[in-house]
Amino acid sequence: MNRSDTAATQAFAQELGRFVSQSPSSFHAAATVKASLIEQGFLELDESESWTGVTAGGRYVVTRDGSVIAFVVPDTAVSTTALRIFGAHTDSPALKLKPKSSIISHGFNQVGVEVYGGALFNSFLDRDLALAGRIVLMDGEDVLVHTGPYLRVPQLAVHLDRAVNRDGLTLDAQKHLQPITGLAEGGEHDVLADLAAIAGINPQHIAGYDIVTVDAQVPQLIGARREFLASARLDNLLSTFAGLEAIKSQEASANDHIVLFVANDHEEVGSASRSGAAGPFLEDVLARLYSALGASDEERRRAFNRSIVVSSDVGHSVHPNYPERHDPANQPVAGKGPILKINADQRYATDARGAAFWARACAHAGIEYQEFVSHNSMPCGSTIGPITATRLGMTTVDVGVPILSMHSCRELTAVSDPYDLYLAATAVFSPEVSSIP
């Protein structure tokens, strides 16, 4: 199959849409990935238990909060077997529920929120929003919850802001982004009580929560020929889904290296957490895996030296209404294949060796790729790539898919690109693609 196979690309995009719907928060995403892998025959590992049962020929999955790692150990694995890692992240920009969140203001019930990540504020206006995330009970149990359409951030009417179309919209995160949940006729409304009712728990047992707003509209194919997928949280559930589908197809007997898929939480806020890329999760898993294979510290570091990480996150397609915001010579277009991300200041981790590996993987997959570099006057963001490279010392390359409306409440991808990324991710794991010497 290739990009011209419209049925295949549309089917994959629709599966991606279903995955997004099943993953309204990072915690849901990790749980969805884990469930899919266990169904595929992967064995769950508990970080609080011994991993002495991890052996060559096994397929394993472990979760930590909103992050997940899966790996397949080849039959021939020894203490110095190298790794092929495909990385992504599970979180997306959102409005996050504050403590003491229930508010009454001028006849309306509202909820107090703070901004999570680099959200495009105006995209959250006049949208039907749901709440999703995890509740932690007094006994330590985690409970996932997801409401239906529950709240809305109404925009001020143009009659009350006559200059908005001329001067632009200015939003204060504290004053203008607090959603309404209903009318205050019956007194203050307790959002936690509603979440508890949906989750089937006693609200008095709630000890903590991580709850975010999510777009209540389902993903769908749009366009004159249904060539686009419009969806929330493509950044970065698109890469998460591609990596998930790629590792599900891996068999222990097919590889001469360990293949590993990691999807970290908290990338949108800097990755500095116990489950983020700057935290110890991946390194902890690798230390325990190589210990189970009988590796010494020196042998593990030798394996790392011959390993490679492909960090996948969405990137910017050239915008037809704002072409001047892009580098004049490097303008990736949605629908023309995945992108290789390059930045002189190492905001992306790609170097020449990593770029060469990516070129070989895409050639093996039979797909074309594009290069992305930012306009010099508009510094780019970053990814888990440089952070993972810094922690582990592995050759790392940053890649992704070019999308429109990044960090909007609803983003847009060409349907062919997620499928091509999946093909490339599968090639990254393939023993037929030569690694870095």
Side-chain angles (χ1 to χ4, degrees), residues 166-191:
R166 181 186 70 241
D167 299 338
L169 178 65
T170 300
L171 295 172
D172 181 285
Q174 180 64 38
K175 293 170 58 179
H176 303 140
L177 294 182
Q178 309 308 310
I180 62 171
T181 62
L183 300 173
E185 295 173 348
E188 182 175 288
H189 193 71
D190 187 354
V191 63

Side-chain angles (χ1 to χ4, degrees), residues 267-291:
E267 189 274 345
E268 298 292 357
V269 291
S271 296
S273 70
R274 70 186 296 268
S275 54
F281 184 35
L282 178 56
E283 194 169 6
D284 284 352
V285 168
L286 293 180
R288 298 183 69 177
L289 165 59
Y290 278 90
S291 176

Side-chain angles (χ1 to χ4, degrees), residues 20-69:
V20 171
S21 294
Q22 293 166 355
S23 307
S25 73
S26 59
F27 307 103
H28 286 84
T32 301
V33 169
K34 182 178 77 170
S36 180
L37 289 168
I38 290 174
E39 185 177 348
Q40 197 71 18
F42 283 67
L43 301 176
E44 183 179 5
L45 296 172
D46 187 332
E47 287 195 272
S48 66
E49 302 292 335
S50 171
W51 285 12
T52 54
V54 173
T55 60
R59 310 168 87 208
Y60 304 96
V61 59
V62 56
T63 56
R64 180 186 290 187
D65 299 332
S67 297
V68 59
I69 292 173

